[in-house]
Amino acid sequence: PVTQASLPAVPQRPAVAGTPAWRRNAVAVPPAPGGVPRIAIVIDDLGPNLRGSQAIIALPGPMTLAFLPYAADVDRMVGQARRGGHEILVHMPMEPVSPTVDPGPGALRVALRGDELRHRLEEGLTRFPGHVGLNNHMGSRFTADARAMAVLMDEVAGRGLLFLDSRTTVDTVAEGLARARSVPFVARDVFLDNDQSADKVEHQLAETERVARRKGFAVAIGHPHAATRNALAAWLPQAARRGFQLVPVSSLARVQQTEQARR
């Protein structure tokens, strides 16, 4: 098992000058009143499915929208999403455990040399502006590999970004490496639509509420499926009335950084 002591050493890096990108590009939300649980809704896989992506962008926010960097016309969609009040992530393709599943062009793979991993990250992270960080598309093998993830976290730290772990494997080493490098970090609590039936998505939104009440916050990840879009169209306008504050992932990262600093 990977322990904190066995993780790769943190290299000496120059500090990011000025306000880091994850704060510059964050969507501002007011502080939650005391005791109000916060929920971040993240929608992955945006870009290739144009119709589904446009329908998600049109929903009320703030949500956090994760765009695949290889999608056509992604600049325009990201601009629309930002104008709509949503926060932006790069949904970076990463190697899954199954060799028969293709994560897409430019994917990060554990066998790649460090310089090639950095090159692919450079291409993905400069594909469109205005993002606060990245999360993994697939990546059940990559996010469990300490060497490869150390390269990724060094780049994330050097660029002043945050990392959202989609937690596609229980063996992920992302959190320990992020904390060691002072990378703002958030992790997924609930998947909304592994089962794309309407009843199941509604059940998972209810589970998100339960997690948020218990922890004080929750991160739910979904995709631009019709059932997910329809469920969110009904749920989002009611979130505040149900006693929750809808926030982008940067808001949760900021709170968790503050809590870490107090320890």
Side-chain angles (χ1 to χ4, degrees), residues 80-188:
Q80 286 183 327
R82 294 188 72 196
R83 289 191 295 274
H86 301 300
E87 196 162 270
I88 307 299
L89 290 173
V90 175
H91 195 38
M92 193 71 200
M94 301 184 197
E95 184 178 5
V97 167
S98 174
T100 64
V101 176
D102 181 9
L108 307 182
R109 298 182 180 275
V110 299
L112 294 174
R113 290 165 52 97
D115 56 354
E116 179 60 21
L117 287 174
R118 285 186 285 272
H119 172 70
R120 294 189 181 198
L121 280 162
E122 167 78 16
E123 288 199 328
L125 294 174
T126 58
R127 182 65 178 82
F128 52 82
H131 54 81
V132 296
L134 69 156
N135 72 328
N136 49 299
H137 172 59
M138 302 188 187
S140 52
R141 185 177 183 196
F142 191 89
T143 58
D145 188 278
R147 180 203 68 87
M149 283 295 290
V151 175
L152 180 147
M153 287 299 179
D154 289 342
E155 288 299 307
V156 173
R159 294 170 184 274
L161 299 173
L162 64 78
F163 186 78
L164 166 64
D165 189 355
S166 303
R167 293 193 60 83
T168 55
T169 175
V170 297
D171 296 322
T172 175
V173 297
E175 183 170 8
L177 289 166
R179 300 298 185 209
R181 289 152 173 80
S182 300
V183 169
F185 178 85
V186 185
R188 187 256 327 151

Side-chain angles (χ1 to χ4, degrees), residues 40-90:
I41 300 291
V42 181
I43 304 299
D44 284 351
D45 292 358
L46 293 172
N49 177 348
L50 181 59
R51 180 178 178 183
S53 299
Q54 293 288 172
I56 289 292
I57 291 169
L59 291 174
M63 293 190 293
T64 302
L65 306 188
F67 288 84
L68 288 158
Y70 57 76
D73 204 23
V74 69
D75 274 347
R76 181 185 62 79
M77 285 185 280
V78 166
Q80 286 183 327
R82 294 188 72 196
R83 289 191 295 274
H86 301 300
E87 196 162 270
I88 307 299
L89 290 173
V90 175

Side-chain angles (χ1 to χ4, degrees), residues 1-63:
V2 175
T3 65
Q4 184 67 45
S6 68
L7 295 175
V10 183
Q12 296 299 311
R13 300 181 61 89
V16 178
T19 304
W22 76 275
R23 290 193 179 230
R24 289 199 310 271
N25 295 326
V27 170
V29 291
V36 173
R38 296 161 303 222
I39 293 177
I41 300 291
V42 181
I43 304 299
D44 284 351
D45 292 358
L46 293 172
N49 177 348
L50 181 59
R51 180 178 178 183
S53 299
Q54 293 288 172
I56 289 292
I57 291 169
L59 291 174
M63 293 190 293

